[in-house]
Amino acid sequence: MRGELVRIRIPLVVLAVAVTLGGCVSTKRDDVAACASMAAGGLRPVAGERTGRFLGKVQENTARCRGGDKAVAHRNLPWVDWANYWATGDAGTLAKSIGDDLGHLRANGRGIDGTLLDLEYQRIELIKFNLFDNSGTYPDYVRGRPGVDGSAIKIWDAMRLPPAHPDHAKVGGDGVQLCQGELIRWRTLSGICNDIRNPLMGSSGMPFARNVQLEATYPDLGKTDLARNRHGGRLSLLRPDPQVISRKLFTRAQSSPETCRAGQGLPGGAADAGCDYKKAPFFNVLAAFWIQFMTHDWFSHLQEGRNQPDLMAVGCASQRVGNAERPLSAEEAARLGCRPADRADRGLVAEAADPPTFDHAGNTYPERAYRTTSNHVTAWWDASQIYGHDEVSRRRVKRDPADRAKLSLHPVGRRAGAGERQGYLPRFEAGDPIAPEWSGQEATGFPDNWSVGMSFYHNVFAREHNLFVDAFRRQAAATPGADSGLRNPARPTEPMAYKDVGADELFEVGRLVVSAMIAKIHTTEWTPQLLYDEPLYRGMNANWHGLLAKHDLASAALEKIVVRSFGKSEDAKYANQWYSVFAAGPGIFGLGSRVYGHDPLFARLDTPNRDTWSLSNPDHVNGGINHFGSPFNFPEEFVTVYRLHPLVPDLIELREWDRDPNQIRARVPVIETVRGKATAATQERGLANWALSMGRQRLGALALQNHPQFLQNLPMPRLAAATGTIDVAALDLIRDRERGVPRFNEFRRQYGLRQLTSYDDFVDQRLGKGSPERSEQERLVGLLREVYGQHRCDAAKVITSAQVNADGSPINDCLGHPNGTMVDNVEDVDTVVGWLAESGRPHGFAISETQFQVFILNASRRLFSDRFFTSSFRPEFYTDLGVRWVNDNGPDGVVMETGERNGHRDPVSPFKRVLLRTMPELAPELEHVVNAFDPWARDQGEYYSLGWRPRPGAEADPSFR
Ligand code: HEM
């Protein structure tokens, strides 16, 4: 089936009705005609070849049907079309004079549904064209096995536990490997046995994957003609100079440098300090540290906070002047603020030799990327940052000696507030296995790059863990002999009474529940606020609950089709693209966690009697996962788009919950909360005050010239270098170059997005000519041209195999400009620089569309691949209480919000519930909050407003002045 075009047809009668009704409402006659002609053409085929991808660009009639003139007007830009559809922005994008016009058939509904359809195409094609494994399975993926398409393969030798592994014999040794017994009960420490037939997958130390063609990695090495043609010998690890890029393109401008003092603020955290930064009005500082907390769970290139021991120069040596690279004089370096004497440790490399190759169908392929690196933590969403990822990190995790099911927490001082009694994490002690710079910090699994933000989240979720244990213990005391729902796989049919669940068992159940709560918060609360518009609200909720959440029968039927038919198919079309499309109905979370026998439609109504899911059946335990033919791990490119350092402000505006929250009492430099100082800051000021402060403050926008100054000047005591300081913003570029991430334009082509043809494409064409925003963007484009330069192009040089021009000809060095003319070196732009420069984003997007494209694929896979979020989301693993806790956002059932937000009335969000449980003293403040990542005192206004106005009662808050 590979290579075949698949045409999806929707019954014409349905579309005809849609189009007719759509025309009744509001949009112009032209739009209606466009809908009719779109419907007549059916839906576009999923691309058969990489070069025929969707690119987020639709036909003119489709654009008109979904967004009218505005959508048509922007079709020639590189950026995705859906951002210009009806109802995808604020109230100004709603089709006029229609009130609550969000029906599927009407203009606004067409805009939103059209967006969801575009996103599903993107996901299908990303699954089809962007999975490249580095751990040895890629030849199988390309060649397939007899009767099985490569991308439908489900078990790999490379995912077996090797003979030296301590659990080798337990999973079957040299025979067929299958995890059983204790190994399948929980999230194992090293991450083995999540997929019980591929024990090694996602465990600590496995190679990072890739999302780009392996030949497109490491462009600096110039291994292929395409790479050499694309970059013309202009690139190396330190060229263009990363520190110069940092100082010219990343530094935050300051209106009063004397009170910012490069991010150090004023002594004692004085409130009259000030560091300017570009702010995102709809996202708060809690959200910034949340995502750092997540990345510490998902991936780490460093091992125990260390790279290679040897040091390297990190730039501040040259700059481009008059389109030529020139050495930087000492005076110029001083003027820029960079440091030639800085040194950093080289990144760890797993395999440095060129890969072996294999042949298939007349082509030669590398078996892996030119170099590989390892993910030193588990790739699973398993809260390993809290609980550890190997024996060493687990020794850092302190359990409560009085109840080993709990984490150790101790009250500190006598501050007011009910949450205070729940306590704080203890500090590391002598003898704990830690890097020296971590001493004085809270004891936890992953202690690197610690600040008050990490300290905050680790304390919050340690409290949440203990609250779950308390609730379980209360239930056990009330009904000791009742069935807890938990099962021991050694005796799968034997009920386990509450009183028989041991402390170690309960600890691991607590970990499962906390991990699932975190995943739910991230998917249904953090991400919809990161991507603050209606289509993404629906899309992210669909990933978790399903588009058909309120339609049980249809959802049950689709789930059966997805898991039992498509999931088992050996044909890639069914195993992958149809699986992805139909999974949107029931949602990914919980897929395969119920097995319905022969009458799925009615079984849902009568679940206890009909559900035949069995712990002794490996096909049930493992049955809801899908890796789409490529073992799960994060790709290097995912790490790149998570280099979100501009989110962090230099100063945190400190408030107190019990002394007029509208007042800013101090401006605490984040640098004064780094490493051990974090722990002191958290405990001295109190967790609830930090929650309030970070909840009200806006985070930094992901934009050029918006990196925290303190991160450009971060003391790194472990480096034996003259300055002992590094510029983390420059290091972001160096690490991506070390790891062979393609530069921005090829990155976009590889991910199925349209390329840019000059730096000018970064300017948002929707802005009026001469407007202040547009002038600022044009200024930044001027800087890009200064830093990255231009060259005389050669149309004979083909630069990519990922895409072709509209007329089918190869894309060449001139990018459509006349041969021999001077063109921008837009191919050289570092990927981080590129996505920071993207100004014309979809409404409410804190990230750029390029970053988002990476998320569409990997955020879904993180759920699709994990048994504990799909077929093993069951009481047998989580207990009955655990399943309810995750589904209802806590104990005591679902609690509904009283009001509506953007037209939706939802349950009280999972993170708000966590905050209310762990810091009950915040209840009066949280009364006004719906999404805990939206600045807490912001008036949310009407439909997806990004306005910055105080809600009633917060008028005195100076941040609104
Ligand atoms: C006080 C705040 C922070 C500090 C002190 C900090 C520090 C650092 C440092 C020193 C590195 C470089 C490690 C190396 O390659 O040698 C790094 C990498 C990184 N940081 Fe941050 N960071 C902070 C906040 C954040 C935030 C908010 C994010 C958001 C997601 C983030 C995401 C990352 C990522 C993705 C990497 C690459 C990790 C890897 O290569 O595996 N950081 N950070």
Side-chain angles (χ1 to χ4, degrees), residues 288 292 300-301 307 449 642-645 648 716 735 739:
Q292 189 188 13
S300 174
H301 281 91
N307 297 295
N449 295 334
Y642 272 104
R643 296 187 177 280
L644 304 181
H645 291 120
V648 184
M716 266 290 164
R735 294 292 185 231
R739 292 162 193 162

Side-chain angles (χ1 to χ4, degrees), residues 261 698 814:
R261 299 197 310 142
R698 287 161 289 176
C814 290

